[in-house]
Amino acid sequence: MRITGYRTMTTVQEWGRPVGDVNGVFADGAVPVPLVLVDTDEGITGVGLGPHVEIETVFAAIEGEDPRGVTALYDRMLRRTFKAGHAGAVFGTIGALDTALWDIKARAAGEPLWRLLGGRDRLVPAYASGLDIGLTDDELVAVYQVYARHGLRAAKIKGGLDIERDLHRLTLVREVLAEAGRGARPGLMLDVNEAWTRKQAVRHVRELERALDLTWIEEPVRRWDAEGLATVGRGIRASVATGENLTGLEQFRPLLAAGAVDIVQTAVVWGVSHFLRVAALAHAHDLPVSPIGATPLALLHAATSVPNHLASELQDLHPPLGLSLDLCVEDGTFVLGDSPGLGIRVDEQAINAFVRRPDATPDASAAEGPHIRPEHAGRRLLAVTGGPAATRSPEETNAARSHG
């Protein structure tokens, strides 16, 4: 079997409500989802979710190769890009192609990827994550009531701008999950997406911990700040979770050496091989791993095969446009199916026919959204009561208006 080519396309996750975090919000809830399809001479096509940046350069490392040698091909892609650097979006392209190769390998074997990787159990524990900072209180309650009806008893909300607001919103979610669990204490997490300084993080979390039992605080300071993350961890009771934006073992190693992380996270966009290597590194430090990201299907398969998986993030309960997944959510757990490979079917016709509404965010380069770090992040003297939009400078606000 040989790799003969690739195709790229972009579909969309239609949340039907605002989604975002402390850095910004997609007001229309339409989030682009880039795809890579890798073709072979035996008619098997693999699917990977991730960006297309520098894909011609990266694909040259695997073209004409046997896709079943996926581990070696992963390293070939890393070597092909090492001079210019393979972090950021380029690492996402490598991850998308890597995921597509794993899909091909499992499809060729006639097995679901979870079984091919050595998983024994198709069940993967989940926690709810609504990307919910743009919601009103009533909307927040309604969203987590839906998660609760699917058996979710742990939840991660977005925050970081106002201690009182975070406390209020975490309490609302706790009440929803506790009621659904007949009084059982739910798991609560707060994700602030690198919004704080070290002292801000300790002060904010310790104040929340006067009233709440937080399972973890996620990305309290910058992702690479090993000393800062360790300082935060020593100052609070909650675990420190981070890693979703780290690309490569070389970026994880300083954090683990410094004792700076308690929950090791990886993003689905970085691929299966990356997750397996990070999981092994974390296991060597007696640390759990927790995949994050929309449609984390590939890492759910991989999670079944590692001994230190804790729980995986469940965002939207519906797949992106044009994708169908051999997956369901029952009793707070992802249930993987028996379809060969990842269990993803792509309706290319539906994706290609999709026409975005003229008032929707055009793409990830838009002027507002969670992908853009506000100018004053980490330098806010007072609580921000107006939500993520209030974190923008006048210049940023005017730019956003002119863009729209």
Side-chain angles (χ1 to χ4, degrees), residues 89-398:
V90 173
F91 199 76
T93 300
I94 293 172
L97 290 169
D98 172 74
T99 298
L101 297 183
W102 279 109
D103 190 23
I104 292 170
K105 184 180 178 78
R107 287 175 187 255
E111 296 277 9
L113 182 58
W114 64 267
R115 186 172 288 127
L116 182 79
L117 289 172
R120 177 176 176 270
D121 193 340
R122 70 181 71 229
L123 306 179
V124 182
Y127 69 87
S129 178
L131 282 66
D132 45 46
I133 202 167
L135 303 183
T136 67
D137 288 355
D138 289 343
E139 291 168 337
L140 182 75
V141 168
V143 163
Y144 282 93
Q145 285 174 336
V146 175
Y147 288 126
R149 287 198 290 272
H150 284 80
L152 278 296
R153 298 295 179 263
K156 180 177 76 184
I157 76 164
K158 298 289 189 178
L161 294 174
D162 183 337
I163 293 174
E164 296 300 326
R165 183 167 188 256
D166 287 347
L167 176 60
H168 176 65
R169 286 160 52 81
L170 283 163
T171 301
L172 289 176
V173 172
R174 181 183 64 180
E175 291 172 353
V176 169
L177 299 183
E179 181 180 0
R182 298 181 180 179
R185 177 183 292 182
L188 293 176
M189 295 83 87
L190 180 67
D191 185 0
V192 301
N193 297 97
E194 306 181 56
W196 295 331
T197 65
R198 303 173 188 185
K199 286 291 189 179
Q200 284 175 331
V202 172
R203 187 179 78 247
H204 198 118
V205 175
R206 289 184 67 172
E207 187 65 27
L208 293 176
E209 288 180 331
R210 293 176 182 273
L212 296 170
D213 180 23
L214 284 181
T215 303
W216 76 60
I217 180 69
E218 188 166 323
E219 290 193 323
V221 296
R222 299 313 301 269
R223 67 194 74 167
W224 52 75
D225 186 4
E227 182 181 351
L229 290 163
T231 298
V232 173
R234 289 190 295 268
I236 63 176
R237 297 198 310 267
S239 294
V240 172
T242 192
E244 68 179 83
N245 289 306
L246 300 180
T247 52
L249 296 185
E250 66 275 13
Q251 295 190 6
F252 281 86
R253 193 162 53 239
L255 273 64
L256 297 180
V261 55
D262 303 301
I263 312 294
V264 180
Q265 298 175 308
T266 67
V268 64
V269 71
W270 308 136
V272 173
S273 293
H274 174 66
F275 169 79
L276 293 174
R277 293 180 181 187
V278 171
L281 179 64
H283 188 46
H285 287 79
D286 294 320
L287 294 173
V289 290
S290 180
I292 72 98
T295 317
L297 187 56
L299 298 196
L300 299 180
H301 283 267
T304 67
S305 69
V306 302
N308 53 332
H309 174 259
L310 177 63
S312 290
E313 182 179 42
L314 170 61
Q315 294 185 357
D316 201 348
L317 286 158
H318 305 285
L321 174 74
L323 301 185
S324 58
L325 314 178
D326 189 5
L327 168 76
C328 64
V329 178
E330 296 177 355
D331 298 326
T333 302
F334 293 102
V335 183
L336 297 168
D338 286 316
S339 298
L342 294 175
I344 298 179
R345 287 188 298 160
V346 180
D347 186 341
E348 296 185 47
Q349 185 176 4
I351 294 173
N352 290 332
F354 173 71
V355 177
R356 183 179 292 279
R357 301 187 310 273
D359 62 332
T361 303
D363 54 44
S365 65
E368 289 193 68
H371 56 290
I372 299 175
R373 183 171 172 83
E375 179 182 356
H376 298 292
R379 293 187 290 113
R380 302 185 184 104
L381 182 62
L382 302 175
V384 179
T385 57
T391 70
R392 301 289 175 189
S393 68
E395 293 80 9
E396 290 173 310
T397 301
N398 290 334

